Amino acid sequence: MVIKILSCCQLLARQGLPSRGNGDDGDSNFIQLLKLSGQGDAKMDEWLKKKTDKYTSHDIQNELLAQHVLRSIAGHIQDSRFVTVMIDEITD
């Protein structure tokens, strides 16, 4: 299930679509995409009907994407011969 959650998060992020709707979590793009990707999958349908431990909150989505991005960046750095770090400072 975590792989499907991450795939849905990636798709929404890649397309620049919001993952949350207007207050009702059941109507969010993220939940609707999970339902669509799980059509015909009884295990996914049962999992989405659970009341707790679904790992679909926005905090979990942000954490999964952050971990994925960090691993991707770390992989690119490890594969590179040279790395440049640019830092910009703005004082208020």
Side-chain angles (χ1 to χ4, degrees), residues 27-91:
D27 196 31
S28 69
N29 289 337
F30 177 68
I31 296 297
Q32 294 301 318
L33 188 57
L34 278 176
K35 287 178 181 178
L36 180 66
S37 68
Q39 281 183 342
D41 185 358
K43 192 173 181 180
M44 178 66 142
D45 190 42
E46 178 183 320
W47 180 76
L48 283 170
K49 289 180 182 177
K50 287 177 28 176
K51 298 290 183 198
T52 59
D53 299 330
K54 291 196 300 187
Y55 305 105
T56 57
S57 74
H58 64 278
D59 291 331
I60 295 292
Q61 294 171 36
N62 291 341
E63 185 68 28
L64 286 172
L65 281 177
Q67 289 295 325
H68 183 70
V69 168
L70 286 175
R71 284 188 183 132
S72 176
I73 291 171
H76 288 300
I77 289 172
Q78 288 176 345
D79 294 341
S80 301
R81 272 184 79 176
F82 301 102
V83 177
T84 301
V85 177
M86 295 177 64
I87 300 174
D88 188 13
E89 180 184 347
I90 298 174
T91 57

Side-chain angles (χ1 to χ4, degrees), residues 1-11 30 64-65 68:
M1 295 305 154
V2 175
I3 300 297
K4 283 195 179 198
I5 290 173
L6 183 57
S7 296
C8 290
C9 286
Q10 284 178 317
L11 177 70
F30 177 68
L64 286 172
L65 281 177
H68 183 70

